[in-house]
Amino acid sequence: MNKKYDPKIIENKWRIYWESSKLFKVDEDPERQKYYLLEMFPYPSGKIHMGHVRNYTIGDVIARYKKMQGFNVLHPMGWDAFGMPAENAAIANRSHPAKWTYENIDTMRRQLKRIGFSYDWEREFATCRPEYYRWEQWLFLKMYEKKMVYRKESFVNWCNSCQTVLANEQVEAGMCWRCGNAVHQKKLRQWFFRITDYAEDLLAYCDHLSGWPDKVIAMQKNWIGKSFGAEIRFPIENPPDKDKHISVFTTRQDTVFGATFMCLAPEHPLALKLSEGTKQEKQVREFIERISVQDRSVKAVEGYEKEGVFTGAYCINPLSKIRIPVYTANFALMEYGTGAVMSVPAHDQRDFDFAKKYGLDIIVVIKPHDFDLDSEIMTEAYTDEGIMINSGQFDGMNNIKALDAIASFLEDNDIGKRTVSFRLRDWGISRQRYWGTPIPTIYCKKCGIVPVPEEDLPVILPEDANLLEDGGSPLSKLEYFANTRCPACGASDAKRETDTMDTFVESSWYFARYCSPDCNTGMFDKKAVEYWMPVDQYIGGVEHAVLHLLYSRYFTRVLKDFGLVSFKEPFTRLLTQGMVCKETVSCPDHGYLFPEEVEGSGASPDRFCKKCGKSVVVGRIEKMSKSKKNVIDPNILLDKYGADTTRLFCLFAAPPQRDLEWSEQGIEGSYRFLNRVWRIASNCMDYIKDISPYYGSPDKLDSESRDLYRKTHYTIKKVTGDIEDRFHFNTAISAVMELVNAMSSIDLQKNGRKENSVVKYALESVVLLLAPIVPHFAEELWEVLGNESSILLASWPEYNKEALSKDNLLIVVQVNGKLRSRFNVDVDADDNTLKEMALSDERVKKFIKGKPVRKIIVIKKKLVNIVV
């Protein structure tokens, strides 16, 4: 055994072994219990970052741990390869998205292999390959047949920079989630998935996701957003055409008599139509155009000053019969209810503010139990429970009870109905981008929309297309792609759909494809999916709580309805790891600096910009990001310390669910620990190499060996519990460190054969417990210990309950020097424990009888004397 730990040689050796032996390749085995471990697959951005390293290291520990426990472990990897970043990067670098993507995949694959992740690489795929997306197109056609897909004109979130539509979930504070530029509203014809058909089921099953974090479940429930209320139809005065009513959804039908004006979302089709031909038309049009470039997310709208414009039209309150003005207002949202709001200023603060601003009527219809309200002097809306007034036949009722009574009245008089509304909207999947899955439809002047025949799939994305300079998709300009023949009537002037699918479609079923990635007869092999799915443990960032996770749950239900799978939920357990964070460093002249651009270590107060020599400003600790340059290149760590030290640091610095703060001292400490274990193993080897580890009774050992033996079994129990139950790898590693400390004090030269067999058992246990965490390191020591097969094929160690039981001591208790009681304690009980147990002894209490205790004398391991 080499005296010096050399990670470069060791890690390269075992990477070659793992690959040549195909150690991580798995197949279905009905005789073995399966375990499907999956981390969210990466976008091939070019290089892995520390967030990737942490995420995949967490997953790899669990995968290796489960394999050592005897599970048949599926641990795959692939690439979420379509999307706007590839196009944007290709434009910026004068490259092609396909070339850029495939080169990045090759680079990132090499990096992932270097870190030693236990992936079954034979299952690897990229979603941009036709053999993958052809089945996505196939499912689209099946959904189209069942009317689960439709096309309509609607207002969409449009990113001008990316030249494409964004789903609501992809707009963050009014900005595109990819490029960070402002998003505005635009009217386009789009394809939609009817995800709202599954809203009720998606919501109900949130309560069955017992292995998911509460935070994620709450976010999903909130996004689905179920509300009980009523739909009420307000007749339009002098309607412009077939639109005779404005329908509203409200959860407060008890306040309908107090509705004094109507507000339409600027995107509402009636907002402009009602103003046409009136003196308000110009003002309404300008208002709608101005609002269209604002952030229309719920969070953003809540922060805006409430403003609106009168449309020039009126409608009739169907209960009070009052003629009320119709406004278009910035706080009304198309994505909630019907896009129209009956405004009740006396009982809604937002409406109250709007009414005061524009001089609109305020009518009180609910008053407190003990006093009256005067709308003329009210300074805020009354939103509490109370008694109905100014509400016709409902006067005098409690407003909560009136909710049901008014809903019945609406239905009886055919002016409304009870209904349930969901915040969730159908999923718009059309993207006006090139680098995505082509939507398999054709437009014929005679036949209309015609689905591409199944036998013509896949509709292949032409990878030789040149991107347009303005960032737009070239597909509509490619005659050989866009021009086609109608499969229904044979017309030669048909046009192919040139929009592509939202890339979240690809990631909504990839986990099932991993079960049989080479299947060419369907989306996947059903038998393989029945064996492997659902995913037992899924790992990824909480930023995907709404988008990816909700879409994946929806897609799985669609697959179930088509009889392709037998389950509804794709992921049994979910772990959302924290971010990797580091302080920012900036120079007054050069702005943010990369770590390598700063002179002086992280711990030094004197740090300078290498570019100009000026003192730098150390900012707050934030998520690592390229824009703020507070990033650490994993390649630097791998070159200097090796993969195992990098892995150890990622796991030891914080629990997986918490943010990890980068620390130079932490990475150094992890490296020192591995060197320490290596030295101990090296020093032990001459004494233990020819003897077997001890598995006998602790009673046959001397005191020092018994303590080490007991400590080893305690560590096995602790590490197993921390990994199995909580994924607290940091405390598991800490327990191993404590065992290593205990081993370091053993004098092997003085030990006999039996004592050294205990040392060998302890060292083997350390290596086995570290195997999932630092696999190359553990493989090498396992081989040095005389084992011929991979440590991954060894069984996970089990603790011996007998070894955990501690020796007991009989303690005598005296009161004022006289024997009064006895009790047994663990051999390592401290003085305070002995005092507490003596004072709580029932027999001792009788002799103290409430007298003040003057002194307690402890003779450890023998006696406690209480002086009163």
Side-chain angles (χ1 to χ4, degrees), residues 688-743:
I688 65 174
K689 62 183 178 181
D690 296 325
I691 60 178
S692 299
Y694 185 79
Y695 292 104
S697 169
D699 297 336
K700 298 179 181 179
L701 300 172
D702 62 32
S703 175
E704 187 178 55
S705 294
R706 187 166 60 248
D707 288 345
L708 180 60
Y709 194 59
R710 180 178 291 126
K711 182 70 173 177
T712 302
H713 283 276
Y714 167 79
T715 304
I716 293 170
K717 181 182 179 182
K718 170 70 173 167
V719 172
T720 303
D722 284 347
I723 295 177
E724 183 73 37
D725 301 331
R726 298 176 295 277
F727 299 152
H728 281 190
F729 309 117
N730 57 324
T731 54
I733 294 166
S734 181
V736 176
M737 288 177 171
E738 289 181 17
L739 177 57
V740 171
N741 287 341
M743 292 177 64

Side-chain angles (χ1 to χ4, degrees), residues 155-157 165-175 177 183 185 223 295-298 334-336 423-428 431 502 546-547 551:
F155 278 98
V156 293
N157 302 307
V165 169
L166 302 174
N168 289 337
E169 301 90 331
Q170 294 169 317
V171 180
E172 299 174 349
M175 303 297 175
W177 77 307
V183 172
Q185 299 294 298
W223 192 260
D295 182 354
R296 299 292 288 151
S297 66
V298 174
M334 277 305 296
E335 67 181 61
Y336 183 77
R423 181 185 174 210
L424 182 67
R425 288 291 178 261
D426 282 339
W427 177 9
R431 297 293 178 267
D502 181 5
V546 172
L547 283 161
Y551 292 157

Side-chain angles (χ1 to χ4, degrees), residues 737-840:
M737 288 177 171
E738 289 181 17
L739 177 57
V740 171
N741 287 341
M743 292 177 64
S744 65
S745 62
I746 302 294
D747 188 342
L748 291 114
Q749 288 182 323
K750 293 182 180 179
N751 278 349
R753 191 173 181 84
K754 180 188 289 186
E755 289 75 20
N756 281 339
S757 70
V758 173
V759 174
K760 183 164 188 176
Y761 176 73
L763 181 58
E764 279 197 356
S765 298
V766 166
V767 176
L768 286 165
L769 295 174
L770 288 176
I773 297 166
V774 285
H776 314 83
F777 180 89
E779 287 276 23
E780 185 69 14
L781 288 184
W782 189 244
E783 183 182 69
V784 169
L785 283 165
N787 299 283
E788 295 182 0
S789 61
S790 167
I791 195 170
L792 203 58
L793 301 176
S795 295
W796 184 258
E798 296 183 358
Y799 65 89
N800 184 336
K801 290 183 179 179
E802 181 190 358
L804 291 177
S805 61
K806 300 175 182 177
D807 296 333
N808 285 334
L809 296 174
L810 180 65
I811 302 297
V812 172
V813 183
Q814 296 176 343
V815 177
N816 290 338
K818 294 183 179 180
L819 176 64
R820 297 303 186 193
S821 187
R822 298 180 178 88
F823 58 79
N824 290 307
V825 296
D826 290 339
V827 67
D828 56 357
D830 59 20
D831 287 357
N832 287 332
T833 301
L834 297 181
K835 290 178 183 179
E836 290 171 5
M837 293 181 71
L839 290 171
S840 63

Side-chain angles (χ1 to χ4, degrees), residues 72-131:
N72 192 26
V73 178
L74 174 58
H75 188 204
M77 174 52 68
W79 311 97
D80 190 10
F82 271 142
M84 290 185 288
E87 284 191 55
N88 295 341
I91 292 168
N93 297 308
R94 299 185 180 279
S95 181
H96 190 280
K99 182 176 184 291
W100 188 85
T101 298
Y102 295 134
E103 287 177 353
N104 288 349
I105 287 174
D106 290 341
T107 299
M108 293 178 72
R109 186 192 302 111
R110 287 193 297 271
Q111 290 179 302
L112 293 177
K113 286 185 175 183
R114 188 179 178 189
I115 304 173
F117 297 130
S118 58
Y119 297 129
D120 180 355
W121 284 105
E122 292 189 16
R123 294 176 183 264
E124 177 192 14
F125 60 76
T127 59
C128 61
R129 297 298 302 158
E131 55 268 25

